[in-house]
Amino acid sequence: MTFSRFLFFFWNAERNSDQYELMVPFESIQLASNGSDYTVDEILALFKEKGLTTVSLEPITLGYLTKNNIITTDTETELASLFRFTEFENQIDVNKHGYYISVPDDENYQRLIEESLDVEKVSYGDYDFYFLPENSDYTLTSPLGYDANAIETITNHGLNHTFRIGNDTNQEVNRKLVNQLVKLKSDNTNGILPLGSAIIGAGSA
């Protein structure tokens, strides 16, 4: 969605929702920013002026971090190919299947990955990676947790945030998400909303 269309929909909602709290997904704000000359901070400031009170947050994934150029994720064969003709060319075990995840510069993302995933840290010269085995319960689309940087950005604008949470098929993923929600609860937390049709824990023994 372009920024102009996003702004049009928001203003229409604002005009017709005098009795309701206005909430926008953080991902939509990011998409609007990526498709315009406005930064996320500028959009949040503008929408707060127009009545925005709350921003909703979904758990982020390795795929999300990769898409936003925060990390890279390569299979063993992809990494071996990248290191071809270097001193590390023969150090990658192509029979050890999984993902090599570049260690992000931001400590919040480092902490999120290390607390959520059972990963091994490996280095090749100045290149640091987390290795996620192929047989891990986590995949590139598994929820890791909530973006602390996004929460800080929202809070700095004097806005509230609402957490959205789904029901993952992996109960360990659900357990870690619930534990994180307990830790993240603050005066700016404005509740939890289900993500998808099933409430978390549904179908578990």
Side-chain angles (χ1 to χ4, degrees):
M1 181 182 291
T2 64
F3 177 74
S4 58
R5 287 184 64 198
F6 186 52
L7 189 60
F8 172 78
F9 286 128
F10 180 83
W11 277 348
N12 274 350
E14 187 269 336
R15 184 181 61 188
N16 297 316
S17 303
D18 293 337
Q19 299 179 14
Y20 300 94
E21 179 180 276
L22 291 175
M23 180 168 62
V24 172
F26 187 74
E27 184 178 0
S28 295
I29 294 172
Q30 286 182 307
L31 289 172
S33 174
N34 292 339
S36 73
D37 294 327
Y38 291 85
T39 67
V40 167
D41 282 310
E42 288 171 335
I43 293 174
L44 285 172
L46 175 61
F47 284 2
K48 182 184 179 183
E49 183 182 327
K50 294 300 179 182
L52 179 66
T53 57
T54 305
V55 179
S56 64
L57 291 159
E58 296 182 15
I60 60 177
T61 65
L62 290 174
Y64 169 91
L65 294 175
T66 303
K67 181 180 178 181
N68 286 277
N69 300 314
I70 296 168
I71 61 171
T72 59
T73 49
D74 297 291
T75 65
E76 67 286 345
T77 53
E78 290 170 338
L79 189 64
S81 178
L82 289 172
F83 279 157
R84 193 177 180 189
F85 305 124
T86 73
E87 60 185 299
F88 312 115
E89 180 176 8
N90 299 315
Q91 294 185 26
I92 309 299
D93 184 356
V94 294
N95 294 313
K96 188 177 181 180
H97 304 302
Y99 285 101
Y100 287 87
I101 304 161
S102 61
V103 176
D105 294 329
D106 192 295
E107 291 184 358
N108 283 330
Y109 295 125
Q110 290 179 25
R111 189 178 305 110
L112 183 61
I113 292 172
E114 291 172 8
E115 291 179 354
S116 301
L117 304 176
D118 185 13
V119 288
E120 171 191 358
K121 198 168 184 178
V122 296
S123 298
Y124 300 100
D126 294 330
Y127 301 96
D128 298 322
F129 300 93
Y130 300 116
F131 179 71
L132 181 68
E134 184 181 53
N135 61 357
S136 170
D137 289 334
Y138 280 80
T139 67
L140 297 184
T141 58
S142 298
L144 296 178
Y146 297 90
D147 190 336
N149 293 335
I151 295 172
E152 182 178 4
T153 298
I154 295 165
T155 302
N156 286 344
H157 283 273
L159 295 165
N160 294 326
H161 54 267
T162 293
F163 295 113
R164 303 204 65 184
I165 187 167
N167 184 39
D168 198 84
T169 55
N170 182 347
Q171 293 306 313
E172 180 64 13
V173 172
N174 289 336
R175 184 188 68 80
K176 288 184 177 180
L177 284 176
V178 170
N179 287 343
Q180 189 188 30
L181 284 173
V182 172
K183 293 179 182 178
L184 290 174
K185 187 179 185 301
S186 71
D187 292 340
N188 296 102
T189 303
N190 196 17
I192 299 172
L193 289 175
L195 182 62
S197 57
I199 298 174
I200 187 169
S204 61

